[in-house]
Amino acid sequence: VSAVAAYLGKDGINKLLGPTADYLGVSLKDFVQKRADNIGRIFFNAEKKLGNKINEKGQVSPKVLKSIIDEGSYCDDALAVEYFGGVLASSRTESGRDDRGARIGKILDNMTIYQIRTHYIIYTIIRKLFKDSKYLFNKNDRHKMEIFIPLSIYVNAMQFDNNEHEQLTPILNNTLFGLNKDSLVETFYYGPIDYIQQNYVEAKEGGIVVAPSALGAELYLW
């Protein structure tokens, strides 16, 4: 403890962590406050989602609350807050017995910000295109909902800065392979226009081809 306290008092902490040092500041009190602020944003987001239902009888499983506090309190990205807020709102039931959201919270905790945003882009497009199709997220229908995302559309939606643009290939590798490994997308491939046109002849540029998974859809709905 004394070693931690000594290091927290060093000016070098800001150089090491950058703005993330706000979580620590010069004391653990500041650290707790920063996490509390993030939890507050998640709670506020959940309340907005519930609307008038907030006045109905209900409660959230303690196990879900623990997941939100443990995993969500470190997230200050707006989309991550949206996801955790959705999990919290969806977990409010009359009995409070439903603790499935705790598992979803663990999934979110294992995702990078790039993976969360990419997941959102993929499933928002799929929902927009196929919400009236009556397709199910089963083995027979998932491949029917495969989509092509032009690279320019993806990059714009991800809101990459200049440094991230320079790291686009490694970010794509980590993001898409990670989503696939965690069963959040079924299949995917990406590449330049000549590669994409082997299956999508009308493509005007390179991009990403991806099919949804059952777990990926479940996460989006939560």
Side-chain angles (χ1 to χ4, degrees), residues 13-139:
I13 188 108
N14 291 312
K15 293 180 180 180
L16 174 64
L17 300 179
T20 302
D22 291 343
Y23 280 89
L24 297 175
V26 295
S27 70
L28 291 178
K29 179 181 177 181
D30 296 328
F31 173 57
V32 172
Q33 183 59 53
K34 184 68 174 178
R35 291 186 67 190
D37 289 344
N38 288 340
I39 293 171
R41 294 171 65 208
I42 292 171
F43 284 8
F44 182 71
N45 183 278
E47 183 177 342
K48 286 198 304 179
K49 283 180 167 57
L50 286 167
N52 290 331
K53 291 182 179 180
I54 193 74
N55 298 314
E56 299 175 3
K57 181 181 178 181
Q59 58 183 307
V60 173
S61 163
K63 192 172 182 179
V64 174
L65 178 60
K66 178 181 183 298
S67 177
I68 295 296
I69 291 175
D70 289 350
E71 279 85 42
S73 60
Y74 285 95
C75 293
D76 54 11
D77 177 80
L79 193 53
V81 169
E82 182 78 15
Y83 269 60
F84 277 106
V87 171
L88 182 58
S90 299
S91 297
R92 190 176 188 272
T93 61
E94 185 172 348
S95 68
R97 180 182 179 185
D98 190 346
D99 61 0
R100 292 174 297 161
R103 173 174 170 269
I104 301 297
K106 290 290 186 182
I107 293 173
L108 286 173
D109 185 45
N110 287 329
M111 296 172 70
T112 68
I113 292 301
Y114 300 127
Q115 289 171 341
I116 291 176
R117 184 169 289 272
T118 299
H119 177 271
Y120 179 78
I121 293 168
I122 291 169
Y123 284 91
T124 297
I125 293 173
I126 288 172
R127 181 180 182 275
K128 183 178 180 63
L129 292 177
F130 300 107
K131 66 178 180 179
D132 297 323
S133 68
K134 297 185 179 179
Y135 289 152
L136 302 175
F137 285 92
N138 57 26
K139 186 176 181 180

